[in-house]
Amino acid sequence: MTRLKNTVLYLVSVHLIALTMFFFFRLILFLVNENYYDGETFGQILPAFVYGFRFDTVTSSIFLSIPAVILLISLFFKANKYVIRTVSVYVSIVYSICLLLACSDIPYFDYFFKHIDSSIWSYLQQPTFVIRMALEAPVYLFYVVIFIVASIGLCKIFSILRKKFLEADYEGKISSKKDVLLFVCSLLILFPLFLAGMRGSFRIGHHAIRISDGYYCTNPLLNQLGMNATYSLLRTSMDKEENEEIQLIDERTAIEQVRANLHIDTDSLLYISPVARFVPQADTILRKNVVVILMESMASHFVADTTLTPFLNQLIKKSIYFSNAYSAGIHTRNGVFATLFSYPAILENIPFPRNNIAVYDSWPAVMKELGYKTLYFTTHGAEYDNIRAHITANKVETFVSEENYPPEEIRNVWGCSDDFLFRNAIPILSEAAREKNIFATLLTTSNHPPYALPEYFKPRSTDIDLQAVEYADYALQIFFEKAKNEPWYNNTIFVLLGDHGEIRGLQTKDYDVSLARHQIPIIIYDPQNEIAQRKEFLAEQCDVFPTVMGMLGYEYINNTMGIDLFRETHTMLCFTSDNAFCCLDSSDYYVCRKNGVESLYHFREHSQQDYFSENLQKSTLMKNYSCSMIQTAQAIIKMKQTKLK
């Protein structure tokens, strides 16, 4: 029967085109990340593309199953042009979306070193912002153009296939016994093929392909190369609801372990929160201002390169510098949350949800109770990441954002440049400091693509990524030079830290769950006590609040999961990378991915070798530590124990 043959040919043609498209973008991803290869042979690289074929087949088979059912059922009737057009439109839209994700995935992967997954839904709550960011960054714009051109071509090809195969025979239909027999025989062939395609395996009784199946070697790029963005987004979205409740470990067990980790020996019934502990007043109180500067994407390896950050390096020479410090997550919102609220990132959960604004014994709240004026400055719009509502609900009195700046200073989607942020903030800080002590947070963004560096800045680097780092350092220098002239300067403790790390400019191999995107500098500078102290022990963003409070000497209740680094130490610490949680001690780096794959690396040796199976005892210890910290944080937030009164 001609229509049956043409229907099969149409479905096969669409599937082959989809596989070709996925392969093409996987090849591009492979080629643009050549720095992640170190002598791998063709035989070592080939499995990534084999796994890619399987993942691509699953993705395409899932999408093709709907038109396949419709077209096969329609064979019992005369061809209907509306049904055919509907199927054709469906195919064009679905695979154009796959094409869009494939185009977007390359710059996304370059920045996050992971494929697009369910974490992007938090960005898409602000579609205008995302569109502006894509249009303003040259690299994003390049892929936007590729998508537009390729999608037009793709839809044209699908239109040709529709006319050639589906509209070739309007009259034919299944009517005779011979036609029915041929149809049944075809189903006996097509159904197992579709089923195997949707499972990614022909093996009966074997599990359907999982994200973890793509991990086959020690190279972090090859382990992810097989995945395509569409499957990654579908799979992780199916596994996650926004801020879903996680269950990593028994809640009561987790809390007991955390209390032990934080050395809390007070009666657990003393406060409603299991982590709350009283911090007595020191012999001497330093009633100083506190200015926190959260530096966008400021990774430790940037600071290690003195040619990129000469000002920061000079500042380190007269500051307390935590050189072994880590961010709570890989997003700015995680950095803000961990620094000001001192709670860890809870996997992919959004710390500042739209419809659940919680109050905490946060750093701003504690400072306000101590009589400080609390302020927050950012370059971009106030509603980005829902930060303003949560920040102001937690006792930040003055919130300064893009809406407060003159239009001519707005350079791109990230708002104003860093040095304008600083120049604009200084008179506001000075005015506030006339009345009382100030606690201020300034969030920079110019070191995040798309870049819009001021024309008056003259970088040394030719690489735009490194130019942005140079400019971030330059803007900080401008701030300190101007702040020095203000009466509040000498009575201020300045805290500078990265909101998260970065893989740009990294000279050594990283892991698939990037360590470089977490390692950050933490610098504490007191103009009245300029002394170089380099601290090599483990530190994290959650510790900044209690550590500075310890320096000031105030009495307060620490209802957070951070510690005072001058009085306590971490044997290990944990952080998350959206769908993976990690643990670090002085020598080892443990990773537990949401897909079930666990690894243990000797990161001090920059080793890519996975020692998980050789050291299960250590891996279990680090896993339990991470699970207990994350589970306890969720429990405290869920039970509304983040605020004692």
Side-chain angles (χ1 to χ4, degrees):
M1 180 185 173
T2 304
R3 269 186 70 195
L4 175 60
K5 181 186 73 174
N6 286 346
T7 297
V8 173
L9 289 174
Y10 174 79
L11 295 172
V12 170
S13 299
V14 170
H15 183 62
L16 291 177
I17 290 169
L19 294 182
T20 303
M21 176 185 72
F22 287 128
F23 171 80
F24 176 75
F25 282 96
R26 178 171 294 106
L27 184 61
I28 292 177
L29 190 64
F30 172 78
L31 295 175
V32 300
N33 286 278
E34 60 181 354
N35 57 310
Y36 280 94
Y37 303 108
D38 185 21
E40 279 84 1
T41 65
F42 176 77
Q44 293 170 313
I45 295 171
L46 182 61
F49 286 88
V50 174
Y51 280 116
F53 174 79
R54 292 177 63 189
F55 282 117
D56 298 345
T57 298
V58 170
T59 306
S60 183
S61 297
I62 290 171
F63 290 138
L64 267 184
S65 61
I66 295 175
V69 170
I70 293 173
L71 290 175
L72 290 173
I73 292 175
S74 71
L75 292 176
F76 287 92
F77 310 94
K78 288 185 178 181
N80 186 300
K81 65 179 182 179
Y82 296 110
V83 172
I84 292 172
R85 292 292 174 90
T86 300
V87 167
S88 182
V89 168
Y90 166 87
V91 167
S92 296
I93 291 175
V94 165
Y95 287 103
S96 291
I97 293 173
C98 293
L99 177 62
L100 174 63
L101 289 170
C103 289
S104 306
D105 192 50
I106 295 176
Y108 185 92
F109 192 95
D110 180 61
Y111 189 76
F112 288 105
F113 199 59
K114 67 168 188 171
H115 292 288
I116 289 172
D117 59 20
S118 60
S119 63
I120 70 164
W121 298 126
S122 61
Y123 292 110
L124 295 182
Q125 291 177 359
Q126 305 165 87
T128 304
F129 191 91
V130 173
I131 292 170
R132 283 185 61 197
M133 184 172 65
L135 294 177
E136 290 176 5
V139 64
Y140 297 150
L141 190 58
F142 173 72
Y143 287 104
V144 168
V145 172
I146 289 180
F147 165 69
I148 292 173
V149 173
S151 62
I152 292 173
L154 189 67
C155 292
K156 182 66 176 176
I157 292 172
F158 288 148
S159 177
I160 293 171
L161 293 178
R162 183 196 77 227
K163 294 175 182 178
K164 181 175 180 179
F165 294 119
L166 301 184
E167 296 180 355
D169 182 9
Y170 274 104
E171 298 300 322
K173 65 176 182 177
I174 294 176
S175 55
S176 65
K177 291 182 179 180
K178 180 181 178 181
D179 291 340
V180 173
L181 180 61
L182 183 61
F183 178 82
V184 171
C185 291
S186 300
L187 280 186
L188 292 175
I189 298 173
L190 289 174
F191 181 76
L193 287 175
F194 257 106
L195 186 61
M198 294 171 70
R199 298 182 69 252
S201 174
F202 281 99
R203 295 173 62 182
I204 299 174
H206 194 262
H207 65 74
I209 193 169
R210 301 173 296 196
I211 292 177
S212 59
D213 291 330
Y215 287 72
Y216 69 94
C217 66
T218 59
N219 186 297
L221 177 66
L222 293 179
N223 283 338
Q224 298 185 82
L225 191 62
M227 182 58 50
N228 67 64
T230 305
Y231 184 87
S232 174
L233 179 60
L234 283 174
R235 183 70 266 171
T236 55
S237 296
M238 289 169 62
D239 292 341
K240 179 185 184 302
E241 298 176 1
E242 184 181 49
N243 286 9
E244 65 178 357
E245 189 170 325
I246 60 170
Q247 186 61 51
L248 301 175
I249 190 174
D250 175 70
E251 201 169 273
R252 181 173 296 181
T253 301
I255 291 172
E256 290 175 357
Q257 289 188 23
V258 167
R259 285 175 58 84
N261 295 339
L262 298 178
H263 313 294
I264 300 174
D265 54 10
T266 55
D267 187 342
S268 60
L269 299 178
L270 185 60
Y271 302 109
I272 62 167
S273 168
V275 299
R277 59 272 196 203
F278 176 73
V279 179
Q281 180 176 302
D283 293 337
T284 303
I285 293 178
L286 302 177
R287 194 161 183 84
K288 288 178 174 283
N289 307 302
V290 178
V291 173
V292 180
I293 302 177
L294 270 168
M295 304 177 289
E296 170 64 46
S297 301
M298 187 56 71
S300 290
H301 65 87
F302 288 146
V303 178
D305 186 343
T306 57
T307 62
L308 288 176
T309 58
F311 173 75
L312 278 175
N313 276 274
Q314 287 301 314
L315 193 67
I316 286 171
K317 292 177 182 177
K318 49 188 178 182
S319 303
I320 302 167
Y321 175 46
F322 298 90
S323 60
N324 195 18
Y326 297 85
S327 65
I330 61 173
H331 303 287
T332 297
R333 58 180 178 262
N334 302 135
V336 174
F337 185 63
T339 303
L340 297 185
F341 295 75
S342 288
Y343 277 82
I346 303 175
L347 293 172
E348 297 170 278
N349 286 1
I350 300 169
F352 303 125
R354 286 182 179 273
N355 301 314
N356 184 19
I357 299 176
V359 290
Y360 291 74
D361 290 306
S362 64
W363 200 357
V366 169
M367 299 307 279
K368 187 174 187 303
E369 289 175 7
L370 291 169
Y372 280 65
K373 172 74 173 179
T374 54
L375 309 94
Y376 185 95
F377 301 82
T378 184
T379 65
H380 51 61
E383 303 308 323
Y384 182 71
D385 268 345
N386 312 320
I387 286 180
R388 180 170 63 176
H390 290 263
I391 289 292
T392 53
N394 282 276
K395 305 304 182 182
V396 168
E397 301 165 279
T398 300
F399 191 100
V400 183
S401 61
E402 179 180 331
E403 292 79 2
N404 304 108
Y405 306 142
E408 62 270 19
E409 293 294 343
I410 307 305
R411 295 184 170 271
N412 66 0
V413 68
W414 298 122
C416 69
S417 59
D418 284 356
D419 71 292
F420 177 79
L421 168 78
F422 291 134
R423 285 187 280 111
N424 181 78
I426 286 175
I428 300 175
L429 294 173
S430 297
E431 180 66 29
R434 290 192 185 100
E435 302 176 6
K436 56 176 69 175
N437 286 94
I438 57 173
F439 174 80
T441 304
L442 296 93
L443 174 65
T444 71
T445 53
S446 291
N447 192 27
H448 191 301
Y451 309 116
L453 308 184
E455 60 282 350
Y456 49 80
F457 173 67
K458 306 301 178 185
R460 295 176 297 276
S461 306
T462 56
D463 185 333
I464 183 63
D465 288 331
L466 300 183
Q467 289 177 1
V469 180
E470 285 187 62
Y471 171 69
D473 185 73
Y474 162 84
L476 288 167
Q477 182 176 359
I478 295 295
F479 174 70
F480 277 86
E481 286 177 352
K482 291 187 176 298
K484 279 181 183 178
N485 301 320
E486 302 300 322
W488 51 268
Y489 176 81
N490 283 326
N491 191 42
T492 301
I493 292 177
F494 295 91
V495 183
L496 298 87
L497 69 159
D499 64 342
H500 54 74
E502 182 52 78
I503 60 175
R504 288 179 284 128
L506 189 65
Q507 299 301 312
T508 57
K509 274 193 173 183
D510 203 357
Y511 304 96
D512 64 302
V513 179
S514 172
L515 192 56
R517 280 196 63 81
H518 290 92
Q519 191 163 12
I520 59 169
I522 297 179
I523 304 164
I524 302 178
Y525 172 63
D526 183 348
Q528 291 185 324
N529 187 24
E530 293 185 346
I531 181 170
Q533 294 185 26
R534 187 184 181 97
K535 306 297 184 182
E536 302 284 352
F537 48 72
L538 291 171
E540 59 181 332
Q541 286 171 327
C542 291
D543 301 327
V544 176
F545 166 25
T547 298
V548 175
M549 291 299 295
M551 294 174 65
L552 295 173
Y554 290 114
E555 171 188 302
Y556 78 109
I557 296 175
N558 181 3
N559 186 23
T560 79
M561 299 183 71
I563 64 172
D564 181 343
L565 293 169
F566 294 122
R567 292 167 177 80
E568 305 168 79
T569 58
H570 290 291
T571 55
M572 59 184 70
L573 52 81
C574 74
F575 46 82
T576 71
S577 181
D578 284 344
N579 53 10
F581 62 83
C582 317
C583 190
L584 203 73
D585 67 6
S586 59
S587 60
D588 292 330
Y589 176 42
Y590 167 80
V591 179
C592 182
R593 304 163 185 85
K594 198 171 183 180
N595 59 37
V597 174
E598 298 176 75
S599 301
L600 184 70
Y601 307 105
H602 297 336
F603 79 98
R604 287 296 179 198
E605 303 170 5
H606 302 290
S607 172
Q608 297 287 321
Q609 182 66 40
D610 187 350
Y611 293 95
F612 173 74
S613 57
E614 288 92 335
N615 203 337
L616 289 175
Q617 184 176 2
K618 179 69 170 292
S619 299
T620 301
L621 181 66
M622 299 180 87
K623 181 177 184 178
N624 286 340
Y625 178 91
S626 302
C627 290
S628 64
M629 295 296 281
I630 297 170
Q631 195 73 48
T632 298
Q634 176 184 259
I636 294 172
I637 294 170
K638 178 183 66 175
M639 299 301 293
K640 302 188 184 303
Q641 297 169 336
T642 54
K643 183 70 176 174
L644 297 182
K645 57 180 180 180

